[in-house]
């Protein structure tokens, strides 16, 4: 069954001096402030579209990798995934780098890397972001 999730943003003012609030409607987990300076310079306690993409990508990739490993008979004990989304003002998002360290009993490093590459290519968020260069570092920890 298909699912739809919602979030909305209320923005006030121009780009440089204005600000907004992103609200996660489906989960109800909260409201998060956004601004151009927090996107293009320092976060200063605010989020950005790139941080939200990083959260979506790291969680989706972890789920896809867990599913693939479990389906192969080697379920992970733990996966820690970080997504670094690079934003260049005036250009846009220039790349995403996923870093995953896994604890997977009974699996060697080469098979872990192969499973991680498959998850990178096939997780729904990677597919949605296919217009962006996505790189990966994978290792057992």
């Amino acid at each position: 069954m298909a699912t739809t999730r919602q979030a909305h943003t209320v923005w006030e003012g121009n780009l440089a001096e204005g600000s907004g609030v992103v609200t996660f409607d489906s989960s109800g987990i909260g409201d998060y402030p956004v601004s151009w300076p927090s996107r293009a310079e320092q976060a200063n306690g605010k989020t950005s579209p790139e941080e939200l993409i990083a959260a979506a990508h790291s969680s989706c990739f972890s789920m896809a990798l867990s599913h693939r490993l479990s389906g192969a008979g080697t379920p992970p004990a733990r996966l820690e995934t970080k997504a670094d989304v690079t934003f260049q003002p005036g250009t846009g998002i220039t790349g995403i780098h996923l870093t995953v360290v896994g604890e997977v009993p009974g699996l060697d490093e080469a098979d872990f890397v192969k499973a991680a590459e498959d998850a990178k290519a096939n997780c729904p968020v990677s597919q949605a972001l296919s217009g962006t260069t996505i790189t990966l570092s994978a290792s057992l920890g």
Side-chain angles (χ1 to χ4, degrees), residues 12-101:
E12 296 177 349
N14 65 29
L15 176 62
E17 298 163 4
S19 63
V21 175
V22 176
T23 301
F24 291 89
D25 299 320
S26 297
S27 64
I29 61 171
D31 302 326
Y32 297 90
V34 295
S35 70
W36 177 253
S38 68
R39 182 179 192 183
E41 298 165 16
Q42 295 297 316
N44 293 321
K46 298 177 181 169
T47 194
S48 68
E50 291 72 30
E51 184 177 37
L52 299 172
I53 290 170
H57 206 176
S58 67
S59 60
C60 184
F61 171 86
S62 294
M63 290 180 198
L65 181 53
S66 176
H67 180 68
R68 187 180 187 303
L69 292 167
S70 296
T74 54
R78 178 181 166 85
L79 298 172
E80 184 171 339
T81 305
K82 179 174 82 164
D84 294 303
V85 178
T86 302
F87 174 73
Q88 177 64 48
T91 302
I93 294 173
T94 58
I96 300 170
H97 184 74
L98 298 170
T99 303
V100 61
V101 177

